[in-house]
Amino acid sequence: MSIKTNIENGVMNIILSRPEVLNSFNREMALSFQRALDDAERNPEIRAILISAQGRVFCAGQDLSEAIEDNGLEHKQIVAEHYNPIILRLRNIGKPVIASVGGVAAGAGANIALACDIVIASEKASFIQAFSQIGLIPDSGGTFILPRLVGFARATALMMTAEKVSASDAVQMGMIWKCVPDDTLESASVSLAEKLAKMPTRGFALTKKCLNKSMNSNLTDQLNYEEEMQDEAGKTGDYQEGVQAFLEKRKPNFKGS
Ligand code: T3D
């Protein structure tokens, strides 16, 4: 199985599991990943999603042997049916998504990680916009998300040079959230995911909507949207519980509704 999942303490861990080919994506793996994200979205027990990988590499992007096969898939089909639906799911799913990156993330593998809400990486991890090395353009949302994370100048240079960015440099340039020692990546990722899963996750869904909209918004539209989303957040049980718990000086028990 190219994608493994397990569910514990409100978190679905989706594990990229083709370590023998550096977790590169073929069609089967891309479609299984989409299905896993759909399952995570549908299941009310799941309140946070953690994406990690088996082996020494997080993901080497597209499986290049599949892309080059005679009578194989067209590039257009690979992007339209494999990567675009993954990126749209990651951005639109109403639950926090954490990427736990413990090795190289290259090509679509890097951009899938960067499309997650929070990226936590180990000191061994790195990020490569590998596309230019083989004459392709940065897909999987790369040209949209990367300039917004690190700025236009850095994004352009990273895309053209395909320079490997270490996890600590990625933190410095605002590409990812945190870099932790190798032996603590798993525990740090799981405890972050479990912590988020116990928080007001309905509010996270609304926060994600606001952040997504901010990518293409002006200030007036964004303020109006915040007004609308805050109205919705203020009607949740979690808001009632949060305020009640604060006033009673106790720990809140959020349900994600
Ligand atoms: O139509 C479309 O394709 C559109 C979609 C595009 C999306 C994309 O992601 S395009 C970009 C595809 N990815 C790459 O170009 C990355 C290629 N790989 C690398 O640059 C390096 O392998 C890594 C930086 C990821 C890791 O380097 P390293 O030194 O740790 O490992 P290695 O020695 O390069 O690779 C080990 C083996 O994995 C090697 O095979 P071998 O010699 O042991 O038989 C290598 O060929 C294989 N491998 C690595 N990446 C891929 C791969 N095989 C298939 N597909 C790969 N992406």
Side-chain angles (χ1 to χ4, degrees):
M1 262 194 309
S2 58
I3 295 288
K4 293 183 183 154
T5 59
N6 64 61
I7 300 172
E8 218 173 314
N9 299 324
V11 176
M12 180 189 263
N13 187 188
I14 302 178
I15 307 157
L16 309 182
S17 301
R18 294 181 83 215
E20 66 287 358
V21 283
L22 309 190
N23 296 318
S24 58
F25 273 92
N26 61 6
R27 183 170 177 81
E28 190 278 322
M29 176 156 146
L31 300 183
S32 300
F33 192 47
Q34 291 172 23
R35 277 194 297 274
L37 290 169
D38 289 342
D39 291 346
E41 176 152 48
R42 270 193 299 265
N43 186 341
E45 310 270 292
I46 296 167
R47 294 182 50 200
I49 300 159
L50 177 63
I51 296 170
S52 61
Q54 234 181 301
R56 71 179 178 88
V57 164
F58 178 75
C59 174
Q62 172 63 33
D63 183 333
L64 295 173
S65 56
E66 176 184 72
I68 212 82
E69 275 167 17
D70 284 345
N71 305 317
L73 299 170
E74 298 286 333
H75 296 295
K76 199 170 166 53
Q77 192 181 2
I78 292 177
V79 174
E81 295 179 10
H82 300 182
Y83 299 113
N84 290 355
I86 289 173
I87 301 303
L88 289 175
R89 279 169 172 77
L90 291 172
R91 291 308 320 148
N92 294 330
I93 201 163
K95 301 179 183 188
V97 186
I98 297 149
S100 173
V101 181
V104 185
N111 290 342
I112 285 171
L114 299 179
C116 295
D117 297 309
I118 299 179
V119 185
I120 178 166
S122 84
E123 285 160 343
K124 266 198 208 139
S126 55
F127 299 82
I128 313 176
Q129 293 295 315
F131 310 86
S132 64
Q133 289 171 333
I134 54 169
L136 291 183
I137 64 105
D139 59 20
S140 304
T143 58
F144 186 82
I145 292 171
L146 193 62
R148 286 167 169 79
L149 293 174
V150 302
F152 211 83
R154 276 183 171 142
T156 308
L158 291 176
M159 288 170 183
M160 290 187 174
T161 62
E163 205 170 277
K164 185 189 270 195
V165 180
S166 68
S168 58
D169 284 350
V171 172
Q172 288 302 315
M173 59 175 80
M175 191 190 294
I176 65 168
W177 182 58
K178 211 177 209 178
C179 168
V180 297
D182 294 326
D183 57 349
T184 64
L185 178 67
E186 192 179 337
S187 60
S189 305
V190 170
S191 75
L192 173 64
E194 290 184 352
K195 177 182 162 177
L196 295 180
K198 291 193 183 81
M199 290 179 71
T201 44
R202 177 77 197 119
F204 290 158
L206 302 173
T207 302
K208 266 183 93 157
K209 281 185 167 191
C210 288
L211 287 168
N212 284 340
K213 187 173 170 60
S214 79
M215 304 264 198
N216 285 313
S217 203
N218 62 43
L219 179 60
T220 308
D221 288 350
Q222 194 66 22
L223 289 171
N224 289 336
Y225 197 62
E226 286 178 1
E227 189 180 308
E228 210 182 300
M229 292 299 105
Q230 194 68 295
D231 191 43
E232 227 178 282
K235 289 176 180 151
T236 60
D238 281 345
Y239 169 70
Q240 291 295 326
E241 169 63 7
V243 176
Q244 203 64 39
F246 177 80
L247 296 175
E248 291 169 9
K249 300 190 189 309
R250 61 171 172 82
K251 265 183 84 172
N253 179 17
F254 294 119
K255 302 223 160 57
S257 55

